[in-house]
mmCIF file of all heavy atoms in Angstrom:
data_model
loop_
_atom_site.group_PDB
_atom_site.id
_atom_site.type_symbol
_atom_site.label_atom_id
_atom_site.label_comp_id
_atom_site.label_asym_id
_atom_site.label_seq_id
_atom_site.Cartn_x
_atom_site.Cartn_y
_atom_site.Cartn_z
ATOM 1 N N ILE A 998 -36.362 31.522 1.239
ATOM 2 C CA ILE A 998 -37.104 32.017 0.081
ATOM 3 C C ILE A 998 -38.589 31.968 0.397
ATOM 4 O O ILE A 998 -39.135 30.901 0.712
ATOM 5 C CB ILE A 998 -36.811 31.160 -1.167
ATOM 6 C CG1 ILE A 998 -35.314 31.184 -1.498
ATOM 7 C CG2 ILE A 998 -37.635 31.653 -2.356
ATOM 8 C CD1 ILE A 998 -34.895 30.160 -2.532
ATOM 9 N N VAL A 1013 -36.211 36.980 -0.616
ATOM 10 C CA VAL A 1013 -35.074 36.084 -0.410
ATOM 11 C C VAL A 1013 -34.175 36.732 0.637
ATOM 12 O O VAL A 1013 -33.813 37.910 0.498
ATOM 13 C CB VAL A 1013 -34.302 35.901 -1.734
ATOM 14 C CG1 VAL A 1013 -33.172 34.913 -1.562
ATOM 15 C CG2 VAL A 1013 -35.242 35.445 -2.840
ATOM 16 N N LEU A 1022 -33.424 40.447 -0.390
ATOM 17 C CA LEU A 1022 -33.753 41.043 -1.684
ATOM 18 C C LEU A 1022 -35.232 40.825 -1.972
ATOM 19 O O LEU A 1022 -35.824 39.828 -1.537
ATOM 20 C CB LEU A 1022 -32.950 40.384 -2.810
ATOM 21 C CG LEU A 1022 -31.425 40.382 -2.699
ATOM 22 C CD1 LEU A 1022 -30.836 39.560 -3.841
ATOM 23 C CD2 LEU A 1022 -30.878 41.800 -2.710
ATOM 24 N N ALA A 1027 -44.290 41.649 -7.979
ATOM 25 C CA ALA A 1027 -45.341 41.610 -8.986
ATOM 26 C C ALA A 1027 -46.447 42.642 -8.780
ATOM 27 O O ALA A 1027 -46.805 43.374 -9.706
ATOM 28 C CB ALA A 1027 -45.946 40.205 -9.003
ATOM 29 N N ALA A 1030 -48.233 46.002 -3.241
ATOM 30 C CA ALA A 1030 -47.114 46.524 -2.451
ATOM 31 C C ALA A 1030 -47.386 46.487 -0.954
ATOM 32 O O ALA A 1030 -46.494 46.175 -0.165
ATOM 33 C CB ALA A 1030 -46.794 47.954 -2.894
ATOM 34 N N LYS A 1036 -45.459 41.646 4.805
ATOM 35 C CA LYS A 1036 -44.678 40.417 4.942
ATOM 36 C C LYS A 1036 -43.236 40.726 5.340
ATOM 37 O O LYS A 1036 -42.651 40.061 6.197
ATOM 38 C CB LYS A 1036 -44.694 39.627 3.627
ATOM 39 C CG LYS A 1036 -46.022 39.003 3.295
ATOM 40 C CD LYS A 1036 -46.338 37.844 4.228
ATOM 41 C CE LYS A 1036 -47.653 37.182 3.871
ATOM 42 N NZ LYS A 1036 -48.021 36.128 4.836
ATOM 43 N N LEU A 1038 -42.088 43.361 6.925
ATOM 44 C CA LEU A 1038 -42.039 43.842 8.310
ATOM 45 C C LEU A 1038 -42.304 42.708 9.301
ATOM 46 O O LEU A 1038 -41.638 42.605 10.335
ATOM 47 C CB LEU A 1038 -43.049 44.967 8.493
ATOM 48 C CG LEU A 1038 -42.765 46.243 7.682
ATOM 49 C CD1 LEU A 1038 -43.907 47.229 7.816
ATOM 50 C CD2 LEU A 1038 -41.445 46.883 8.108
ATOM 51 N N VAL A 1048 -34.843 43.527 -7.261
ATOM 52 C CA VAL A 1048 -34.177 42.992 -8.444
ATOM 53 C C VAL A 1048 -35.231 42.516 -9.440
ATOM 54 O O VAL A 1048 -36.127 41.743 -9.080
ATOM 55 C CB VAL A 1048 -33.243 41.825 -8.087
ATOM 56 C CG1 VAL A 1048 -32.433 41.403 -9.312
ATOM 57 C CG2 VAL A 1048 -32.310 42.208 -6.942
ATOM 58 N N ASP A 1055 -46.126 42.998 -15.263
ATOM 59 C CA ASP A 1055 -46.744 42.107 -14.276
ATOM 60 C C ASP A 1055 -45.760 41.657 -13.201
ATOM 61 O O ASP A 1055 -46.170 41.177 -12.144
ATOM 62 C CB ASP A 1055 -47.392 40.895 -14.956
ATOM 63 C CG ASP A 1055 -46.420 40.063 -15.775
ATOM 64 O OD1 ASP A 1055 -45.708 40.652 -16.605
ATOM 65 O OD2 ASP A 1055 -46.386 38.827 -15.585
ATOM 66 N N LEU A 1065 -39.853 53.391 -2.766
ATOM 67 C CA LEU A 1065 -40.091 54.599 -1.963
ATOM 68 C C LEU A 1065 -40.226 54.252 -0.475
ATOM 69 O O LEU A 1065 -39.704 54.962 0.385
ATOM 70 C CB LEU A 1065 -41.355 55.306 -2.458
ATOM 71 C CG LEU A 1065 -41.277 55.931 -3.856
ATOM 72 C CD1 LEU A 1065 -42.646 56.427 -4.293
ATOM 73 C CD2 LEU A 1065 -40.265 57.069 -3.884
ATOM 74 N N ASN A 1076 -30.770 46.546 -20.987
ATOM 75 C CA ASN A 1076 -31.480 46.274 -22.234
ATOM 76 C C ASN A 1076 -32.994 46.212 -22.072
ATOM 77 O O ASN A 1076 -33.726 46.168 -23.065
ATOM 78 C CB ASN A 1076 -30.980 44.963 -22.858
ATOM 79 C CG ASN A 1076 -29.576 45.085 -23.402
ATOM 80 O OD1 ASN A 1076 -29.018 46.182 -23.490
ATOM 81 N ND2 ASN A 1076 -28.971 43.957 -23.757
ATOM 82 N N TRP A 1090 -53.163 48.623 -20.831
ATOM 83 C CA TRP A 1090 -53.647 47.957 -22.044
ATOM 84 C C TRP A 1090 -53.981 46.486 -21.768
ATOM 85 O O TRP A 1090 -55.051 46.000 -22.125
ATOM 86 C CB TRP A 1090 -52.598 48.056 -23.155
ATOM 87 C CG TRP A 1090 -53.121 47.591 -24.477
ATOM 88 C CD1 TRP A 1090 -53.803 48.314 -25.404
ATOM 89 C CD2 TRP A 1090 -53.014 46.253 -25.022
ATOM 90 N NE1 TRP A 1090 -54.137 47.541 -26.486
ATOM 91 C CE2 TRP A 1090 -53.667 46.272 -26.287
ATOM 92 C CE3 TRP A 1090 -52.437 45.076 -24.564
ATOM 93 C CZ2 TRP A 1090 -53.750 45.139 -27.091
ATOM 94 C CZ3 TRP A 1090 -52.530 43.941 -25.369
ATOM 95 C CH2 TRP A 1090 -53.163 43.972 -26.614
ATOM 96 N N ARG A 1094 -57.722 48.446 -17.746
ATOM 97 C CA ARG A 1094 -58.148 49.478 -16.799
ATOM 98 C C ARG A 1094 -57.007 50.458 -16.594
ATOM 99 O O ARG A 1094 -55.844 50.115 -16.795
ATOM 100 C CB ARG A 1094 -58.574 48.862 -15.469
ATOM 101 C CG ARG A 1094 -57.486 48.202 -14.659
ATOM 102 C CD ARG A 1094 -58.036 47.687 -13.335
ATOM 103 N NE ARG A 1094 -56.987 47.216 -12.451
ATOM 104 C CZ ARG A 1094 -56.524 45.984 -12.399
ATOM 105 N NH1 ARG A 1094 -57.019 45.064 -13.228
ATOM 106 N NH2 ARG A 1094 -55.576 45.644 -11.550
ATOM 107 N N MET A 1096 -54.157 52.342 -14.955
ATOM 108 C CA MET A 1096 -53.245 51.983 -13.873
ATOM 109 C C MET A 1096 -52.483 53.223 -13.421
ATOM 110 O O MET A 1096 -52.030 54.021 -14.244
ATOM 111 C CB MET A 1096 -52.257 50.926 -14.346
ATOM 112 C CG MET A 1096 -52.908 49.665 -14.912
ATOM 113 S SD MET A 1096 -53.846 48.726 -13.695
ATOM 114 C CE MET A 1096 -52.524 48.097 -12.664
ATOM 115 N N LEU A 1107 -27.783 45.665 -14.058
ATOM 116 C CA LEU A 1107 -27.196 44.348 -13.820
ATOM 117 C C LEU A 1107 -26.385 43.897 -15.020
ATOM 118 O O LEU A 1107 -26.732 44.209 -16.161
ATOM 119 C CB LEU A 1107 -28.311 43.326 -13.571
ATOM 120 C CG LEU A 1107 -29.219 43.599 -12.363
ATOM 121 C CD1 LEU A 1107 -30.463 42.732 -12.455
ATOM 122 C CD2 LEU A 1107 -28.473 43.334 -11.063
ATOM 123 N N GLU A 1109 -23.852 40.379 -16.550
ATOM 124 C CA GLU A 1109 -23.428 38.987 -16.416
ATOM 125 C C GLU A 1109 -22.291 38.862 -15.399
ATOM 126 O O GLU A 1109 -21.315 39.612 -15.425
ATOM 127 C CB GLU A 1109 -22.931 38.479 -17.777
ATOM 128 C CG GLU A 1109 -22.375 37.086 -17.773
ATOM 129 C CD GLU A 1109 -23.383 36.014 -18.128
ATOM 130 O OE1 GLU A 1109 -24.456 36.345 -18.662
ATOM 131 O OE2 GLU A 1109 -23.094 34.845 -17.873
ATOM 132 N N LEU A 1120 -26.427 36.078 -4.640
ATOM 133 C CA LEU A 1120 -26.914 35.548 -5.907
ATOM 134 C C LEU A 1120 -26.079 36.167 -7.020
ATOM 135 O O LEU A 1120 -25.683 37.329 -6.924
ATOM 136 C CB LEU A 1120 -28.396 35.872 -6.115
ATOM 137 C CG LEU A 1120 -29.386 35.131 -5.198
ATOM 138 C CD1 LEU A 1120 -30.760 35.757 -5.288
ATOM 139 C CD2 LEU A 1120 -29.446 33.649 -5.547
ATOM 140 N N ILE A 1123 -26.942 36.016 -14.331
ATOM 141 C CA ILE A 1123 -26.649 35.402 -15.624
ATOM 142 C C ILE A 1123 -27.611 35.997 -16.657
ATOM 143 O O ILE A 1123 -28.814 36.110 -16.406
ATOM 144 C CB ILE A 1123 -26.773 33.864 -15.576
ATOM 145 C CG1 ILE A 1123 -26.374 33.254 -16.922
ATOM 146 C CG2 ILE A 1123 -28.164 33.404 -15.136
ATOM 147 C CD1 ILE A 1123 -26.188 31.748 -16.897
ATOM 148 N N GLY A 1131 -33.325 42.064 -22.121
ATOM 149 C CA GLY A 1131 -32.558 42.148 -20.887
ATOM 150 C C GLY A 1131 -32.950 41.140 -19.835
ATOM 151 O O GLY A 1131 -32.702 41.353 -18.637
ATOM 152 N N GLY A 1134 -31.190 35.796 -15.094
ATOM 153 C CA GLY A 1134 -31.467 34.854 -14.022
ATOM 154 C C GLY A 1134 -30.572 35.191 -12.850
ATOM 155 O O GLY A 1134 -29.590 35.931 -12.976
ATOM 156 N N SER A 1145 -35.431 32.147 -12.534
ATOM 157 C CA SER A 1145 -35.339 32.170 -13.996
ATOM 158 C C SER A 1145 -36.214 33.217 -14.671
ATOM 159 O O SER A 1145 -36.192 33.340 -15.900
ATOM 160 C CB SER A 1145 -35.717 30.788 -14.550
ATOM 161 O OG SER A 1145 -37.092 30.504 -14.295
ATOM 162 N N THR A 1148 -37.992 33.000 -18.485
ATOM 163 C CA THR A 1148 -37.236 32.256 -19.499
ATOM 164 C C THR A 1148 -37.684 30.806 -19.563
ATOM 165 O O THR A 1148 -37.841 30.241 -20.646
ATOM 166 C CB THR A 1148 -35.723 32.338 -19.205
ATOM 167 O OG1 THR A 1148 -35.319 33.712 -19.271
ATOM 168 C CG2 THR A 1148 -34.925 31.542 -20.233
ATOM 169 N N PHE A 1150 -40.271 27.700 -17.437
ATOM 170 C CA PHE A 1150 -41.257 27.326 -16.424
ATOM 171 C C PHE A 1150 -41.248 25.810 -16.264
ATOM 172 O O PHE A 1150 -40.588 25.103 -17.033
ATOM 173 C CB PHE A 1150 -42.661 27.783 -16.838
ATOM 174 C CG PHE A 1150 -42.739 29.218 -17.257
ATOM 175 C CD1 PHE A 1150 -42.956 29.555 -18.589
ATOM 176 C CD2 PHE A 1150 -42.585 30.235 -16.330
ATOM 177 C CE1 PHE A 1150 -43.026 30.875 -18.980
ATOM 178 C CE2 PHE A 1150 -42.650 31.566 -16.711
ATOM 179 C CZ PHE A 1150 -42.872 31.882 -18.041
ATOM 180 N N ASP A 1152 -43.548 23.742 -17.035
ATOM 181 C CA ASP A 1152 -44.156 23.067 -18.182
ATOM 182 C C ASP A 1152 -43.978 23.834 -19.488
ATOM 183 O O ASP A 1152 -44.797 23.704 -20.397
ATOM 184 C CB ASP A 1152 -45.651 22.840 -17.920
ATOM 185 C CG ASP A 1152 -45.894 21.960 -16.702
ATOM 186 O OD1 ASP A 1152 -45.220 20.916 -16.606
ATOM 187 O OD2 ASP A 1152 -46.725 22.317 -15.854
ATOM 188 N N VAL A 1154 -41.655 27.256 -21.785
ATOM 189 C CA VAL A 1154 -40.645 28.316 -21.850
ATOM 190 C C VAL A 1154 -41.339 29.648 -22.110
ATOM 191 O O VAL A 1154 -42.533 29.703 -22.443
ATOM 192 C CB VAL A 1154 -39.605 28.030 -22.957
ATOM 193 C CG1 VAL A 1154 -38.912 26.701 -22.693
ATOM 194 C CG2 VAL A 1154 -40.245 28.027 -24.333
ATOM 195 N N ARG A 1156 -42.463 33.284 -23.728
ATOM 196 C CA ARG A 1156 -42.878 33.732 -25.061
ATOM 197 C C ARG A 1156 -41.735 34.473 -25.742
ATOM 198 O O ARG A 1156 -40.979 35.196 -25.106
ATOM 199 C CB ARG A 1156 -44.076 34.673 -24.948
ATOM 200 C CG ARG A 1156 -45.359 34.003 -24.547
ATOM 201 C CD ARG A 1156 -46.473 35.020 -24.368
ATOM 202 N NE ARG A 1156 -46.712 35.793 -25.592
ATOM 203 C CZ ARG A 1156 -47.615 36.774 -25.686
ATOM 204 N NH1 ARG A 1156 -48.341 37.103 -24.633
ATOM 205 N NH2 ARG A 1156 -47.781 37.419 -26.817
ATOM 206 N N ALA A 1160 -42.359 42.010 -30.296
ATOM 207 C CA ALA A 1160 -41.527 42.658 -31.320
ATOM 208 C C ALA A 1160 -40.065 42.713 -30.909
ATOM 209 O O ALA A 1160 -39.168 42.647 -31.755
ATOM 210 C CB ALA A 1160 -42.056 44.074 -31.589
ATOM 211 N N LEU A 1171 -31.835 28.938 -23.169
ATOM 212 C CA LEU A 1171 -32.285 27.643 -22.657
ATOM 213 C C LEU A 1171 -31.149 26.621 -22.674
ATOM 214 O O LEU A 1171 -31.019 25.807 -21.752
ATOM 215 C CB LEU A 1171 -33.479 27.146 -23.466
ATOM 216 C CG LEU A 1171 -34.758 27.979 -23.309
ATOM 217 C CD1 LEU A 1171 -35.791 27.571 -24.351
ATOM 218 C CD2 LEU A 1171 -35.327 27.851 -21.908
#
Side-chain angles (χ1 to χ4, degrees):
I998 301 168
V1013 183
L1022 304 174
K1036 290 289 182 185
L1038 295 174
V1048 187
D1055 59 309
L1065 292 172
N1076 290 350
W1090 189 86
R1094 67 177 188 270
M1096 304 295 290
L1107 299 165
E1109 176 94 15
L1120 290 167
I1123 184 168
S1145 66
T1148 298
F1150 310 110
D1152 299 313
V1154 301
R1156 289 176 58 182
L1171 293 169

